[in-house]
Amino acid sequence: MATFRTPLISSSVGLAGTNVKRDVLVVQHLLNRAGGRTPLQEDGVAGRRTIDAIRSYQKTVLHYPHPDARVDPGGRMLRSLASRAAPRAAPPAAASGPSGLETVGRWAGQALAGLQSTLQGWLRDEQVEAPRGARVRARGARPPAASSGGGGGRRNLTDADFTRAAQRLSPKVDPLLVKALAEKESGGKSGFGPGGRIVIAFEGHKFRKYTNRVYDGSHPKLSYPYTRSGWRAKWVVNNRDQATAWRTLEEAMALDHDAALKSTSFGAFQVLGENYRDCGYGDVDSFVNLMKSGDAGQLEAFVLFCKAKAGLVSAMERQDFNAIGNSYNGSAQENYDTGLRRIYDRLKGAQ
């Protein structure tokens, strides 16, 4: 059974499968206001028809890859319902029956003002978001065809590309170190994997950070705390292969679009979406669209990211692999420096 935990009501549900009647009543009322289907009986019971209606809305309106019949506080489902229902939202009528839904009367008196205010606020948010232009779509995250001038599109990075990037960072940076970082991060020269999609990795502890732990209980695979001992096992569940990683990202995007993209690393150099400002962009969608544009865009993001990270270019000049690992990938990931050094030494020896 779905769990409704709306911020419109003071009660909070902590156990999956438990629904507060007045919360269910709100969702039923908003579904009816949204229209487009046979009206539900507003009885506060999360029965099969209500669950099916939520799944249908998630599939046909929100295009969820895996409809889960959940309505979470501040989540995309509730926001969408609110934006559709806000212009004519009204308090749901009290239901009859043995229970009497005695809470409805109190809810109408105490929560209606907050409900209407919140719905109107969400509607304004939706109107503000609309002009941001084309949003990143997970299934469309493929590069355009390469232009005749060689700018953009999917193509393997060349030694000349690595050399130009190194020179932009500093004349003292060895291009083979840039090449080694690409191999360390994505396993090869290209930032695109099977089917032309960007190579990605989803980080659940980052998603937890950017969603304020809201999904720890309902989606523990997507939102979890970082621990040295347990991080790798949880990471592998979400990123076993690129098909799995993309399914994970799509599921997370359905819950919180921006948080999911901020929590994902992209491309040949696996730059995290949370670094979009360091790369000169005002929002994470624009950053991901740069990554989509082709390998050249991913290399550009890498250069801008390195320049923005204090001490990283200096560490690359000195070939201080420990400092490079700490700055580029964080101090918590063990053996990053030794792995990077092995790749660099192999590339150097093959010259």
Side-chain angles (χ1 to χ4, degrees), residues 136-156:
V136 173
R137 300 302 175 196
R139 294 191 180 279
R142 296 180 173 86
S147 68
S148 57
R154 182 184 178 184
R155 64 180 181 82
N156 287 346

Side-chain angles (χ1 to χ4, degrees), residues 65-235:
H66 306 290
D68 58 6
R70 288 189 59 88
V71 182
D72 290 311
R76 185 181 171 203
M77 173 76 185
L78 193 54
R79 282 178 175 270
S80 177
L81 283 173
S83 68
R84 288 182 169 231
R88 48 181 178 160
S96 59
S99 68
L101 284 179
E102 60 277 0
T103 59
V104 174
R106 291 195 298 275
W107 173 84
Q110 298 171 3
L112 178 58
L115 170 63
Q116 291 175 328
S117 174
T118 302
L119 295 181
Q120 290 168 3
W122 286 349
L123 181 61
R124 287 193 298 271
D125 289 346
E126 293 291 332
Q127 291 170 341
V128 169
E129 283 290 305
R132 284 180 64 176
R135 301 281 279 173
V136 173
R137 300 302 175 196
R139 294 191 180 279
R142 296 180 173 86
S147 68
S148 57
R154 182 184 178 184
R155 64 180 181 82
N156 287 346
L157 294 172
T158 66
D159 289 341
D161 292 322
F162 295 127
T163 297
R164 282 191 293 269
Q167 290 173 345
R168 288 180 62 191
L169 293 172
S170 166
K172 298 179 181 179
V173 171
D174 187 343
L176 289 180
L177 183 53
V178 177
K179 187 174 184 178
L181 276 164
E183 184 172 333
K184 174 64 176 171
E185 290 294 330
S186 63
K189 294 181 180 180
S190 176
F192 295 90
R197 281 185 170 184
I198 310 172
V199 173
I200 66 167
F202 179 81
E203 304 286 356
H205 65 286
K206 293 287 186 180
F207 188 69
R208 183 183 195 237
K209 170 186 173 182
Y210 289 114
T211 55
N212 296 315
R213 308 183 182 186
V214 168
Y215 298 107
D216 280 12
S218 60
H219 295 77
K221 186 187 80 168
L222 301 178
S223 180
Y224 51 78
Y226 180 89
T227 60
R228 276 184 186 270
S229 60
W231 170 82
R232 182 66 185 176
K234 293 179 179 180
W235 187 91

Side-chain angles (χ1 to χ4, degrees), residues 12-335:
S12 177
V13 179
L15 298 176
T18 303
N19 297 287
V20 177
K21 288 184 178 180
R22 59 191 182 187
D23 291 3
V24 179
L25 193 64
V26 169
V27 175
Q28 290 172 327
H29 183 68
L30 293 178
L31 281 166
N32 285 340
R33 287 286 180 177
R37 55 172 311 286
T38 304
L40 295 167
Q41 181 179 354
E42 296 178 21
D43 57 6
V45 177
R48 179 168 296 279
R49 288 194 63 226
T50 298
I51 301 302
D52 289 345
I54 296 170
R55 285 203 177 97
S56 176
Y57 188 95
Q58 291 176 333
K59 180 178 181 180
T60 60
V61 178
L62 300 178
H63 306 294
Y64 278 20
H66 306 290
D68 58 6
R70 288 189 59 88
V71 182
D72 290 311
R76 185 181 171 203
M77 173 76 185
L78 193 54
R79 282 178 175 270
S80 177
L81 283 173
S83 68
R84 288 182 169 231
R88 48 181 178 160
S96 59
S99 68
L101 284 179
E102 60 277 0
T103 59
V104 174
R106 291 195 298 275
W107 173 84
Q110 298 171 3
L112 178 58
L115 170 63
Q116 291 175 328
S117 174
T118 302
L119 295 181
Q120 290 168 3
W122 286 349
L123 181 61
R124 287 193 298 271
D125 289 346
E126 293 291 332
Q127 291 170 341
V128 169
E129 283 290 305
R132 284 180 64 176
R135 301 281 279 173
V136 173
R137 300 302 175 196
R139 294 191 180 279
R142 296 180 173 86
S147 68
S148 57
R154 182 184 178 184
R155 64 180 181 82
N156 287 346
L157 294 172
T158 66
D159 289 341
D161 292 322
F162 295 127
T163 297
R164 282 191 293 269
Q167 290 173 345
R168 288 180 62 191
L169 293 172
S170 166
K172 298 179 181 179
V173 171
D174 187 343
L176 289 180
L177 183 53
V178 177
K179 187 174 184 178
L181 276 164
E183 184 172 333
K184 174 64 176 171
E185 290 294 330
S186 63
K189 294 181 180 180
S190 176
F192 295 90
R197 281 185 170 184
I198 310 172
V199 173
I200 66 167
F202 179 81
E203 304 286 356
H205 65 286
K206 293 287 186 180
F207 188 69
R208 183 183 195 237
K209 170 186 173 182
Y210 289 114
T211 55
N212 296 315
R213 308 183 182 186
V214 168
Y215 298 107
D216 280 12
S218 60
H219 295 77
K221 186 187 80 168
L222 301 178
S223 180
Y224 51 78
Y226 180 89
T227 60
R228 276 184 186 270
S229 60
W231 170 82
R232 182 66 185 176
K234 293 179 179 180
W235 187 91
V236 169
V237 169
N238 288 328
N239 301 285
R240 182 175 293 106
D241 50 41
Q242 283 300 296
T244 302
W246 273 103
R247 284 194 298 271
T248 301
L249 177 56
E250 288 168 352
E251 184 179 353
M253 287 175 71
L255 298 175
D256 191 314
H257 177 97
D258 282 14
L261 294 180
K262 290 177 185 177
S263 306
T264 302
S265 54
F266 296 90
F269 298 91
Q270 289 293 283
V271 179
L272 267 168
E274 69 177 6
N275 297 298
Y276 66 91
R277 287 193 180 92
D278 288 340
C279 295
Y281 288 89
D283 59 75
V284 69
D285 287 304
S286 298
F287 165 80
V288 177
N289 283 329
L290 170 68
M291 307 303 274
K292 281 175 57 179
S293 69
D295 293 82
Q298 295 175 11
L299 187 60
E300 176 69 12
F302 165 78
V303 170
L304 294 173
F305 171 71
C306 289
K307 287 184 173 182
K309 292 290 285 185
L312 179 53
V313 173
S314 175
M316 294 172 73
E317 290 175 337
R318 302 190 312 271
Q319 296 186 15
D320 183 340
F321 289 90
N322 184 60
I324 293 170
N326 289 343
S327 182
Y328 195 89
N329 213 50
S331 60
Q333 191 166 139
E334 298 176 352
N335 301 320

